[in-house]
Amino acid sequence: MPTGQRKSHESAVSHVSGKAVYTDDQRSLIGMLSLSPVLSPHARAQITRIDVSGAYDIEGVVTVLTAEDVPGANDTGAIVQDEVLLPVADVSYWGQAIVWVAGESEEAARLGAARVVVEYELLQPICTIQEAINANSFHNAPQVIRRGEPETALQQADIVLEGEIEMNGQDHFYLETQASWVIPDGEGHYHVYSSTQHPSETQIIVARVLGIASNQVTVTCLRMGGGFGGKETQANPFAAIAAVAARKTGRPVRVRLRRHQDMMLTGKRHGFLGQYCVGFTPEGQITALDLDLYADGGWSLDLSPPVLLRAMLHVDNAYYLPHVEVRGRIAKTHKVSNTAFRGFGGPQGMIVIEEIIDRIARKLNLSPDQVRERNFYREDDADGDRNTTHYGQEIVDNRILRVWNEAKARSNYAERQAVINAFNQANPDLKRGLAITPVKFGISFNKTQYNQAGALLLIYTDGSIQLNHGGTEMGQGLHTKMLQVAAKSLGVRIDRFRVMPTSTDKVPNTSATAASSGSDLNGQAVKDACETLKSRLAIVAAPLLNLDAPEDLEFAEDWIFCRGYPSLRVGFDEVVQRAYNDRISLSATGYYRTPNIFWDAVKGHGRPFYYYAYGAAVSEVEVDGFTGTFKLRQVDIVHDVGESLNPLIDLGQIEGGFVQGMGWLTMEELVWDTEGRLRTFAPSTYKIPTISEIPEHFQVHLLQRAAQEGVIYGSKAVGEPPFMLAMSVREAIRAAVAAFGNTDAVLLAAPATPEATLWAIEQVKANSILASERLPVLSAE
């Protein structure tokens, strides 16, 4: 099946029938041990005593792992080594694993862990970004991106507003919790099966912890039951602790976290605090912005620096900022180490500018969509400045207005706004809101060296083919797209291929499947391998067709034929067998590196993104003035995926990303108490969107005639950009809240839970009363 066709996920039937095999679904090995952690009940403390003797009273307990059992480096940090695997003295967050118990069964390990005694000396934790600011507790020096002269521009601005916006984190809540198997071979080598988005990094971390070379560790990812960034680095400590147990006991070991353990132990989306001062004209044009961004990094660094950087690079969203300075810092708090999550800081940066846009609109009594349009990047600007970002990258093929206007037209935006205004006039306790928001999202890894990929294709003499590439499958459909790319590139039926589990012994030194780059990078690598094989097979096929020029041959639909004389053809199977007989290699590697990207971290300037993905969403909500609850009535999306490799997969990604983004902005509330304990670590207390939150009218339209030059078959990334389309839901709720009164600002928390929305309604009503009391009294005359 060629690219561009609607093909079901390659594992769809296995998923819905329960036959799909995940890491912990494999057939259990003889002698396999299970691990269970002993978790700290404190967010910050000193360990004064560990007594593991009680664990051995439980039948089936084999051993207890402490820091003394780590043969190599006791650290699983990804960027810097600041993430201790098993603490010796310091407890850094509530729920931290102090020791692990290995048992013949999961129950034995769990009961043994309950018998371990750990004593602590309590210390005062830092639990919030503001507390970290007050204590000067940071992981990094300030990062700065600057353009123009914002101080002067703010002084000369017609109108200036100051404010701040704080947004919460988000739990990944993948269906499959963290899981790893480690199998020693008895000769000092280890095979790791891990639910990881980054097998090569897991390989590096396991080797580091064991104190051995990477070539003694093979990491395989069969598939993941969801990842969303939560298995990019967070899978590493669980693979590492299983490896330590396997080395100590010489037996295979498994780790599979229970849901509450996963939510307690793993990092989340970073919470952010943005403090801004913005200058603008009476027409709503932004002239200057001064912004401090603070990310809650948690107890260790993890991927916080690139997350913060992407937030700083996306504070513009789709808007031109002529004079701007953005300063970013990573707060060090006593929480889990926050990590990658779909959007990777981009959503947090965009929320800040959308907050600012709405405040400007309401201050000037203009419609927010009007202010948004006036601030768009524009290609038709005479001097070109209005099409260059604050970090110096020119926006080539700007599609912002195109998706924006199409979304407005398809949703009947203007007509519906008039209907909603009439509804709000007639209903004092129910209000509706309509909003449209744009998305411009940069595609590439922030770290330039990650923008590379490899592939390996093996053709067998019967014409069947194994496809290996460096990307991992987490339900997003990457394997499906790679099968389509390979089939088109090699000109054969898709059922010839078997896509193999991602493994470091097939494709080494891979990058994480992240940054929405999986298809872009791996697709080009797969295509490169196919082109190598085609060039070899063409040399074999040409004599069979009595042709002198192999370059004149085409590969399509299992045939190899002359471009000028298509009736001259030979079957793929025949050519493969002849190639083998002629001793021509039937395997090939492929490789790709993204061209023309660079970043100067010192100057905060460069071309970090290969291209941009665009989208626009229109959302309509109805808000109950008594409870603060909302109903999403209608969603209309226009999204740019280039020339889609698989429209069915892309539609699923857009819908799923939107719903996940809506969850972050409206209902998924992480709550820590003043002692640093996470209080929302189960589905009973942490609410994610369900089918009941989805409107009956949920229309997604893929932008047509949108092929992207230089990307695999003209397609565009689709994993992360749709997440930010859900900003339209938050802005629609804000519009509905504003309808409860008359105010020049609607300060709405993120997430906009019913409680937060109700408080915002009450504030709007209070502001309306105050405003009416200040109005002059007219005389009867």
Side-chain angles (χ1 to χ4, degrees), residues 28-94:
S28 185
L29 301 174
I30 296 173
M32 175 167 273
L33 302 176
S34 297
L35 293 181
S36 185
V38 176
L39 306 180
S40 168
H42 309 292
R44 187 183 184 192
Q46 287 279 312
I47 299 171
T48 58
R49 186 173 76 95
I50 299 177
D51 181 0
V52 303
S53 59
Y56 292 100
D57 294 337
I58 301 297
E59 183 179 354
V61 168
V62 174
T63 190
V64 180
L65 304 176
T66 67
E68 295 177 353
D69 294 308
V70 179
N74 185 19
D75 191 278
T76 59
I79 294 179
V80 299
Q81 294 190 28
D82 68 340
E83 194 165 322
V84 65
L85 176 62
L86 291 171
V88 177
D90 296 325
V91 172
S92 299
Y93 65 96
W94 181 80

Side-chain angles (χ1 to χ4, degrees), residues 481-528:
K481 288 186 174 182
M482 294 305 94
L483 287 169
Q484 290 179 273
V485 167
K488 178 171 182 174
S489 300
L490 207 52
V492 297
R493 300 190 319 274
I494 202 167
D495 59 9
R496 286 185 181 270
F497 291 90
R498 175 190 173 193
V499 64
M500 304 301 291
T502 311
S503 191
T504 58
D505 62 351
K506 296 292 182 63
V507 182
N509 309 317
T510 57
S511 297
T513 305
S516 303
S517 63
S519 294
D520 289 5
L521 296 176
N522 294 287
Q524 295 282 26
V526 168
K527 184 174 183 290
D528 183 54

Side-chain angles (χ1 to χ4, degrees), residues 75-78 83 85 178 180 192 194-206 208-209 219 230-243 302:
D75 191 278
T76 59
E83 194 165 322
L85 176 62
Q178 299 282 354
S180 286
V192 180
S194 177
S195 184
T196 175
Q197 293 176 236
H198 199 173
S200 289
E201 186 176 82
T202 301
Q203 177 190 33
I204 291 167
I205 297 297
V206 168
R208 178 202 299 169
V209 169
V219 175
K231 295 175 180 176
E232 186 171 343
T233 61
Q234 298 290 295
N236 298 335
F238 307 108
I241 196 64
D302 196 83

Side-chain angles (χ1 to χ4, degrees), residues 132 229 293 361 369 418 423 482 583 601 612 621 679 697 715 751:
L293 274 182
D369 62 296
F423 176 90
M482 294 305 94
R583 294 178 295 176
Y612 295 96
V621 303
R679 308 311 262 168
H697 181 104
S715 65

Side-chain angles (χ1 to χ4, degrees), residues 7-31:
K7 182 185 183 330
S8 296
H9 192 287
E10 48 88 24
S11 293
V13 174
S14 296
H15 287 159
V16 298
S17 64
K19 294 179 181 179
V21 177
Y22 295 85
T23 295
D24 201 50
D25 293 334
Q26 299 175 89
R27 186 168 297 174
S28 185
L29 301 174
I30 296 173

